[in-house]
Amino acid sequence: MSSSRTGRPPVQRAARRPVAPRPQGENPLRTLVTRARRAWDRPLTAYYVILGGSLLITVLGLVMVYSASQITALQMSLPGSYFFRKQLLAAAIGAVLLLVASRMPVKLHRALAYPILAGAVFLMALVQVPGIGVAVNGNQNWIALGGSFQLQPSEFGKLALVLWGADLLARKHDKRLLAQWKHMLVPLVPAAFMLLGLIMLGGDMGTAIILTAILFGLLWLAGAPTRLFAGVLAVAALLGAILIRTSENRMARLACLGATEPQTGPVDCWQAVHGIYALASGGIFGSGLGASLEKWGELPEAHTDFIFAVTGEELGLAGTLSVLALFAALGYAGIRVAGRTEDPFVRYAAGGVTTWITAQAVINVGAVLGLLPIAGVPLPLFSYGGSALLPTMFAIGLLIAFAREDPAARMALAMRQPRFGKKRIGGSQRPRRWNTMRRRAPGARSSGER
């Protein structure tokens, strides 16, 4: 054996392992897609997407509320951070509601369905009492709480319809009654029409549209036949057409679709056109946070219904696409939660919440882009308004709780959260997974059970 100059034996180096050659014809894009699908298929993916996406939207909304509302507050002789502080307080309360809802068991959510519905109906009826109800922008849908605080009960009506409708359909599903059309419609549709009537007494058609979307989402999830679904849709469309035709304000909003000038004859399209101006002047990366020009009195409701336009002006196309991507991820995660559960209540409630948030986001963004009439609905979790933020954050807590209830997610969380120094071991059986949220209604019993 040869020795080194120092007299020590030479170090034997380990042989290098041959690098496995990449298979010919392998597509890097396909590999990336495969890895993304595997990551999305993990048990806790929906849990983290819902939690992280909703928090990101809320935080970004707080930033944009502060930026978009400063000029409005100063014009009203208020401190520049006035609206931001109120929104921050509502977000703090909403975070507590989100945490409480995410930790509540499903049975407790079902138990709260009827009390929340009764409370929402009572408050919505209280709005019409003279001296208690307050009119804002021509719609009497508010209750004065003292000082500068007001409450819009119709926002809580969305949460009430989701919880109560999901509990009702789940009980009928357990009794195998959903195959009969009368059990499919009654009392869900009459109760929803009662809520719609109370909302329309105050003239708020935007919230009524969201409530109608929730109703159709629940019927679709319950497996309503196509003819029944189309019949209810036709009735709702007819009523909507009558309500629009009989209102000059709603006809004017419909006439502003595609408008490029603030004044088009007798119709004033100032808000719609200046929303387009704000988006057009933003470019790719925007003019900079706080540098919007439209919020200086040109764009009405810059911090509420048209905050997406200010976001496009200050953060540009990159900012608006980021917001839309967050809403898309949140909606897809809600669909995943609803589609992978075997509990009918969880399926209906998760689908109802997802329909609520996505439909409201589409209507708000579509109005800002000039693709839909201005409905006067805020962007969920993003626009200014505590009455809209609180029930929405509670609904997000519902989705988080349902995502935690998945057996695979529960086992994964148990492995990551040891108790008394030991990890809890769950079962190895994987839950049954579904490819869709919609289920066929089970066969009805031969007896006339109701």
Side-chain angles (χ1 to χ4, degrees), residues 244 247-257 264 266-269:
I244 293 175
S247 173
E248 295 182 0
N249 183 32
R250 299 185 187 115
M251 287 297 297
R253 294 184 180 186
L254 191 63
C256 288
L257 288 177
T264 56
V267 180
D268 184 8
C269 300

Side-chain angles (χ1 to χ4, degrees), residues 49 53 57 318-332:
V49 168
I57 294 173
T320 54
L321 290 181
S322 299
V323 174
L324 294 179
L326 288 174
F327 275 110
L330 185 61
Y332 195 76

Side-chain angles (χ1 to χ4, degrees), residues 83-101:
F83 293 104
F84 169 74
R85 287 181 293 176
K86 291 184 64 176
Q87 186 74 356
L88 183 61
L89 176 61
I93 300 175
V96 175
L97 292 177
L98 185 149
L99 180 62
V100 171

Side-chain angles (χ1 to χ4, degrees), residues 53-376:
S54 59
L55 291 182
L56 284 175
I57 294 173
T58 305
V59 172
L60 183 57
L62 287 172
V63 174
M64 294 310 305
V65 166
Y66 181 64
S67 175
S69 64
Q70 288 182 353
I71 307 304
T72 303
L74 294 175
Q75 289 174 345
M76 299 172 63
S77 300
L78 297 171
S81 60
Y82 174 78
F83 293 104
F84 169 74
R85 287 181 293 176
K86 291 184 64 176
Q87 186 74 356
L88 183 61
L89 176 61
I93 300 175
V96 175
L97 292 177
L98 185 149
L99 180 62
V100 171
S102 64
R103 294 292 179 176
M104 289 170 55
V106 174
K107 291 183 179 180
L108 185 55
H109 284 300
R110 298 188 67 169
L112 290 176
Y114 281 86
I116 292 178
L117 177 64
V121 171
F122 174 75
L123 292 176
M124 291 167 67
L126 203 62
V127 168
Q128 306 304 322
V129 177
I132 299 178
V134 178
V136 177
N137 295 331
N139 295 336
Q140 186 166 346
N141 284 300
W142 300 80
I143 296 177
L145 299 180
S148 61
F149 293 94
Q150 295 177 341
L151 180 68
Q152 188 177 5
S154 57
E155 293 291 340
F156 294 87
K158 304 172 186 176
L159 178 63
L161 181 60
V162 168
L163 284 177
W164 177 78
D167 178 69
L168 174 70
L169 293 175
R171 287 188 287 108
K172 288 180 176 289
H173 177 274
D174 294 337
K175 295 181 180 180
R176 306 176 67 85
L177 298 175
L178 290 180
Q180 305 177 29
W181 68 267
K182 56 182 178 180
H183 288 288
M184 180 79 70
L185 298 180
V186 180
L188 177 62
V189 174
F193 277 23
M194 177 188 64
L195 293 175
L196 291 172
L198 291 173
I199 293 174
M200 289 307 301
L201 284 177
D204 188 3
M205 190 169 183
T207 305
I209 293 175
I210 305 301
L211 220 67
T212 305
I214 295 174
L215 172 62
F216 284 112
L218 291 174
L219 289 176
W220 184 81
L221 291 169
T226 304
R227 290 179 295 178
L228 182 63
F229 196 85
V232 178
L233 180 61
V235 173
L238 178 61
L239 293 177
I242 294 174
L243 292 173
I244 293 175
R245 187 65 179 175
T246 55
S247 173
E248 295 182 0
N249 183 32
R250 299 185 187 115
M251 287 297 297
R253 294 184 180 186
L254 191 63
C256 288
L257 288 177
T260 57
E261 297 293 336
Q263 297 288 340
T264 56
V267 180
D268 184 8
C269 300
W270 182 274
Q271 187 180 28
V273 172
H274 277 272
I276 297 296
Y277 288 171
L279 290 172
S281 60
I284 302 297
F285 298 104
S287 58
L289 190 63
S292 170
L293 297 178
E294 291 292 335
K295 68 183 180 183
W296 287 77
E298 297 293 334
L299 180 62
E301 307 297 335
H303 61 297
T304 55
D305 300 344
F306 271 70
I307 194 172
F308 188 77
V310 179
T311 303
E313 185 179 6
E314 296 187 351
L315 303 183
L317 181 64
T320 54
L321 290 181
S322 299
V323 174
L324 294 179
L326 288 174
F327 275 110
L330 185 61
Y332 195 76
I335 293 175
R336 171 188 166 121
V337 171
R340 295 197 172 191
T341 182
E342 297 182 6
D343 187 338
F345 172 79
V346 173
R347 180 167 64 252
Y348 300 142
V353 170
T354 305
T355 303
W356 163 13
I357 294 177
T358 53
Q360 187 165 328
V362 168
I363 292 174
N364 178 275
V365 174
V368 174
L369 295 176
L371 303 176
L372 296 174
I374 300 175

